[in-house]
Amino acid sequence: MENNFKSWMENPISKIVLGTNLVFLVLFLVSAPSFVKEHITQDAVSIGGKKYDINDVKESSPIAYSKFQSEYKSLLKNTFGEFAQDKLFELVAKEKNIKPSEVLNEGLVVREPSEEEILNVYLSNKAQLGGKSLAETKDKIVGFLKNQQEQEHSRSKYREIISKYPVEFLIKEPEAIRVTVDEKNNPSIGPKDAKITVIEFSDFECPFCKRSQDVNRQLREKYKGQIRWVFRDFPLPFHQDAMYAHMAANCSIEDGKYWDVFNVLFDNSGNLSKSNVDSLILKSGVNKDKYQSCMKDQTKLKGEIEADIQDGQKVGVSGTPAFFINGIFVSGALPFENFDEIIQKELKQ
């Protein structure tokens, strides 16, 4: 409620448009999307008189080809989704003799919010209201609560439409492109014989990497015993404190504290000065003498980390976070569902 109200307050005259986003949400709940296997050979590039098409990209750069597949799949879904939305509204409008733009609001009756509802919103968001009184904010709160009623009505209408006119994306699944990524004895969680191995290239100072950790933990919890998670260092050159943090983390391995340190460093991703990293490491229970001794050999530590970076670059990693699920490349801090879909398919094989 608090986040929704804050967003609405920042732009009180806007309404959440229940268009393409809603259609996708409902369609995905009622259909299992699949993807058509396309080899677009009519589009090509000529280099020195020799023609190269998408199949050449697939052969020489599987990661680039995988990105092409993902973007093409997304484009197809967007295109068909917008088309399906228009057709659904036309069908219902014709059936009920109304305009397509009136479909989602048909039968809508917005009631006046109760004083109790208004007070609850005010008290829950008082800190965001800049000290304004209930009387000063009441009109905006009423508008927010009425907007919520409209949204719920529209969602309900859409569920009703989908149940009557089922929609399914008839798109075949793309061939999974896999690359070989070595673990090289890097820190890992999970059984060595797990059916799923996820190799993560990440950066302790990267905000997107920090954001991805919640999803990563959810995946490890859901597939406990079925998934092995390997972490490889990929500190980006423009993150000034990242290299030191990665070296420090690697110096906690001998004490068996790596994953404790891992979590602490990501929790403090925005403050990884050398002094703070040293403090965090020792607070995590790492032996001080062993840690200081390990950190003296920075040439060795940097060499190990740079080897991870080079290995990542060889398989197409150019930014963080980057993941390989049984060799299938996934780039970025994506939602849980994106990873979950791939893992479930891998488990079925």
Side-chain angles (χ1 to χ4, degrees):
M1 175 72 79
E2 293 179 41
N3 290 338
N4 290 342
F5 180 71
K6 181 180 179 182
S7 175
W8 193 87
M9 286 287 286
E10 288 171 352
N11 190 10
I13 63 171
S14 68
K15 304 289 185 179
I16 295 178
V17 179
L18 295 164
T20 304
N21 288 342
L22 177 59
V23 121
F24 289 160
L25 173 63
V26 181
L27 294 186
F28 291 161
L29 290 174
V30 299
S31 67
S34 51
F35 181 67
V36 72
K37 187 178 182 180
E38 292 282 354
H39 294 290
I40 302 177
T41 56
Q42 62 269 34
D43 296 321
V45 60
S46 177
I47 305 172
K50 184 175 180 180
K51 178 182 175 183
Y52 298 91
D53 62 29
I54 197 65
N55 289 315
D56 295 302
V57 175
K58 177 182 178 182
E59 183 178 345
S60 64
S61 182
I63 294 301
Y65 180 77
S66 179
K67 290 178 180 177
F68 158 75
Q69 280 188 313
S70 177
E71 290 173 8
Y72 184 61
K73 177 181 178 180
S74 178
L75 178 61
L76 280 177
K77 284 184 176 180
N78 289 343
T79 302
F80 281 124
E82 291 175 6
F83 177 81
Q85 172 185 266
D86 292 341
K87 287 299 177 184
L88 285 169
F89 289 171
E90 287 175 13
L91 284 169
V92 176
K94 183 177 181 180
E95 176 188 292
K96 299 192 175 183
N97 196 28
I98 58 177
K99 296 177 181 179
S101 59
E102 299 172 342
V103 168
L104 291 181
N105 289 328
E106 186 202 14
L108 172 65
V109 177
V110 178
R111 63 174 178 79
E112 288 295 322
S114 68
E115 293 298 322
E116 182 180 0
E117 290 174 317
I118 296 169
L119 180 61
N120 286 338
V121 171
Y122 175 75
L123 294 176
S124 298
N125 297 274
K126 197 171 183 179
Q128 302 168 16
L129 296 173
K132 292 183 179 179
S133 67
L134 176 59
E136 291 174 300
T137 58
K138 185 174 181 178
D139 288 345
K140 287 185 177 180
I141 294 174
V142 169
F144 165 72
L145 289 170
K146 287 184 175 181
N147 180 253
Q148 280 198 323
Q149 293 180 47
E150 293 171 10
Q151 290 181 50
E152 180 52 40
H153 178 83
S154 296
R155 283 192 288 268
S156 177
K157 291 296 291 186
Y158 218 102
R159 286 192 291 268
E160 179 186 319
I161 293 169
I162 290 297
S163 66
K164 185 170 184 178
Y165 299 105
V167 177
E168 181 181 3
F169 286 112
L170 304 177
I171 307 172
K172 293 182 182 177
E173 201 60 38
E175 173 190 359
I177 304 300
R178 302 178 193 272
V179 295
T180 300
V181 185
D182 293 328
E183 297 182 22
K184 292 206 174 164
N185 201 35
N186 278 281
S188 65
I189 301 175
K192 290 186 177 181
D193 60 350
K195 190 167 183 179
I196 305 298
T197 295
V198 179
I199 298 179
E200 174 186 0
F201 287 86
S202 199
D203 175 341
F204 288 125
E205 198 177 351
C206 164
F208 300 103
C209 299
K210 177 179 181 178
R211 185 189 307 169
S212 74
Q213 296 311 308
D214 287 339
V215 169
N216 299 349
R217 281 190 286 268
Q218 289 176 49
L219 291 168
R220 290 195 291 266
E221 181 62 30
K222 178 175 180 178
Y223 296 104
K224 193 172 184 178
Q226 298 176 287
I227 194 169
R228 173 176 169 79
W229 203 282
V230 181
F231 186 82
R232 299 200 63 174
D233 302 297
F234 206 93
L236 298 168
F238 51 85
H239 287 155
Q240 297 180 356
D241 297 323
M243 177 61 80
Y244 189 85
H246 281 264
M247 290 192 296
N250 288 339
C251 279
S252 70
I253 294 175
E254 186 180 346
D255 264 356
K257 294 288 185 179
Y258 181 83
W259 292 104
D260 294 325
V261 168
F262 176 96
N263 292 328
V264 167
L265 291 177
F266 269 124
D267 287 344
N268 292 271
S269 185
N271 182 18
L272 294 178
S273 64
K274 290 183 180 181
S275 60
N276 194 45
V277 167
D278 291 339
S279 176
L280 293 170
I281 294 288
L282 298 179
K283 285 180 181 178
S284 298
V286 176
N287 180 277
K288 183 177 181 179
D289 292 336
K290 287 183 180 179
Y291 172 68
Q292 290 178 340
S293 176
C294 177
M295 289 296 285
K296 287 179 182 178
D297 195 351
Q298 295 201 1
T299 300
K300 178 184 175 182
L301 291 167
K302 286 181 180 178
E304 292 172 347
I305 292 169
E306 286 167 357
D308 275 4
I309 295 171
Q310 290 170 11
D311 285 350
Q313 290 172 338
K314 287 176 185 176
V315 292
V317 177
S318 58
T320 55
F323 306 87
F324 291 86
I325 305 173
N326 286 355
I328 299 171
F329 181 63
V330 179
S331 178
L334 301 180
F336 175 87
E337 291 74 18
N338 293 62
F339 294 89
D340 192 50
E341 181 181 357
I342 296 172
I343 291 172
Q344 289 196 36
K345 288 174 184 174
E346 289 296 297
L347 288 172
K348 291 175 182 177
Q349 292 188 16

